[in-house]
Amino acid sequence: MNLKINFLGTAAATSYPLVFCKCKVCEQARKLGGCNFRKRSSLLINKDLLIDLGPDIMSASFMYNISIADVRYCLQTHSHSDHFDASHLSTRLPEYAVENIPKLKLYASNATLNKMSEMLKAEGYITDILNTVEQERLNLDVHPIKALQSFEAGKYQISAFSANHDKSIGSLLYAITEDNYTIFYGSDTDIIPEETWSGFHDKKLQFDVVVLDHTYGPNINGREHLNANGFIKQIQRMRDENLFKEHTRIFATHISHEGNPIHSDLVDYGKKNGYEIAYDGLII
Ligand SMILES: [Zn+2]
Ligand SMILES: [Zn+2]
Ligand SMILES: [Zn+2]
């Protein structure tokens, strides 16, 4: 059986619409609602693998009636606050009277784990997530990983790749395979680094699903993220380099209001350019 992919959130750090913005798209999005309301990006695979313990995962779980309690593996792309909310992890501590929680295996780069420790420290209970005593208190196994490392997590084969995004915290992208079905999760990143392209080939990867950063709309230039033009170039290169299978589906995520129109218009734009637009609550 193919793995089940749940989009818990598809917005950039700012959410969509923006809290205080009265630009045309934010006003339209507010009026239309539905797919136009985007929470901060996070993805659940089956019931047990979460990519990014983001700030909106609980709101998403209430909205879509999905439990996060059975998550056994968490792949953390990086520690930016739109991808990691320390208060969610803190609730695993005995002080919060948690019961019957399965052990959580957490994977992230060393630099991101250090940053996560700082963020947890600010919550008041944990000082060092790499300390085994602290891990015991959180019922957590922490696995520091590096770009180009491949590892197994339960039934999943996973490879980590470097992102073109905040290098100071070792941001990572992931390919996850279950039963010959592979998803590439590419957020957050600007133009994909050469080392990552080589890694795709060295590991003989072909993707069934690609989920890629689409922070900025057409012709909007930002930093550390892809815009629509860059997104299209990346998927073209993936196609040229034979990284797709026959029915590969390509999704834009991490969408900001900067240059990205309302959902239905963005869907039309994507269709013209060979990709789909993810939305909160979408299940593949
Ligand atoms: Zn982000
Ligand atoms: Zn706006
Ligand atoms: Zn980021």
Side-chain angles (χ1 to χ4, degrees):
M1 209 181 84
N2 290 345
L3 46 78
K4 186 176 176 183
I5 299 165
N6 270 287
F7 285 87
L8 302 181
T10 56
T14 47
S15 300
Y16 189 121
L18 221 62
V19 187
F20 299 109
C21 184
K22 300 192 82 170
C23 80
K24 199 174 135 220
V25 292
C26 286
E27 295 278 51
Q28 268 181 306
R30 270 182 211 108
K31 201 179 285 173
L32 293 166
C35 297
N36 293 287
F37 287 160
R38 299 183 186 277
K39 297 180 286 302
R40 272 72 62 87
S41 294
S42 179
L43 191 84
L44 182 68
I45 294 179
N46 298 325
K47 286 183 171 161
D48 57 356
L49 192 154
L50 178 70
I51 304 182
D52 286 342
L53 199 71
D56 293 331
I57 58 167
M58 290 315 291
S59 312
S61 97
F62 306 148
M63 286 176 75
Y64 312 126
N65 198 22
I66 300 165
S67 171
I68 309 287
D70 291 319
V71 166
R72 305 292 303 277
Y73 315 102
C74 178
L75 305 178
Q76 198 62 37
T77 57
H78 61 311
S79 53
H80 284 168
S81 62
D82 56 323
H83 298 261
F84 176 63
D85 185 331
S87 64
H88 290 327
L89 200 55
S90 297
T91 63
R92 296 180 65 82
L93 290 163
E95 289 89 325
Y96 289 98
V98 283
E99 287 183 25
N100 302 324
I101 54 172
K103 183 154 282 211
L104 178 68
K105 292 176 189 285
L106 172 69
Y107 303 84
S109 72
N110 244 316
T112 275
L113 288 166
N114 287 331
K115 194 75 192 175
M116 287 165 78
S117 289
E118 280 174 32
M119 293 162 84
L120 282 158
K121 203 172 170 180
E123 293 290 313
Y125 292 109
I126 290 289
T127 53
D128 180 7
I129 203 178
L130 289 163
N131 176 303
T132 48
V133 177
E134 308 250 70
Q135 285 175 25
E136 194 72 29
R137 295 216 310 127
L138 286 161
N139 195 16
L140 191 70
D141 272 344
V142 175
H143 300 267
I145 44 166
K146 290 192 173 96
L148 300 181
Q149 189 175 334
S150 293
F151 54 95
E152 273 179 29
K155 59 191 173 181
Y156 306 104
Q157 278 91 48
I158 300 165
S159 294
F161 298 97
S162 54
N164 189 353
H165 191 73
D166 198 342
K167 300 274 180 200
S168 73
I169 46 169
S171 303
L172 295 172
L173 312 173
Y174 294 100
I176 300 121
T177 304
E178 182 196 22
D179 296 336
N180 209 29
Y181 188 90
T182 301
I183 166 174
F184 174 65
Y185 190 78
S187 191
D188 300 357
T189 190
D190 197 340
I191 300 296
I192 296 172
E194 286 308 318
E195 171 198 288
T196 295
W197 291 101
S198 314
F200 292 157
H201 295 296
D202 292 344
K203 293 174 192 298
K204 300 188 170 29
L205 286 170
Q206 276 193 317
F207 307 126
D208 294 271
V209 173
V210 170
V211 181
L212 195 58
D213 190 305
H214 195 292
T215 302
Y216 305 109
N219 307 318
I220 302 290
N221 293 315
R223 280 182 59 250
E224 304 237 303
H225 291 284
L226 289 166
N227 64 6
N229 316 62
F231 182 101
I232 292 163
K233 272 188 201 141
Q234 301 306 284
I235 60 171
Q236 187 55 50
R237 180 165 173 188
M238 285 184 184
R239 191 170 282 117
D240 293 344
E241 297 196 9
N242 203 26
L243 291 167
F244 292 157
K245 297 185 182 174
E246 202 178 333
H247 302 291
T248 298
R249 293 181 71 181
I250 302 148
F251 291 92
T253 193
H254 205 270
I255 293 162
S256 86
H257 82 136
E258 289 144 89
N260 285 309
I262 54 163
H263 183 72
S264 55
D265 291 351
L266 195 54
V267 165
D268 291 341
Y269 180 87
K271 215 174 260 173
K272 269 181 225 142
N273 291 286
Y275 62 96
E276 299 175 69
I277 312 301
Y279 54 88
D280 293 18
L282 169 66
I283 296 173
I284 312 172

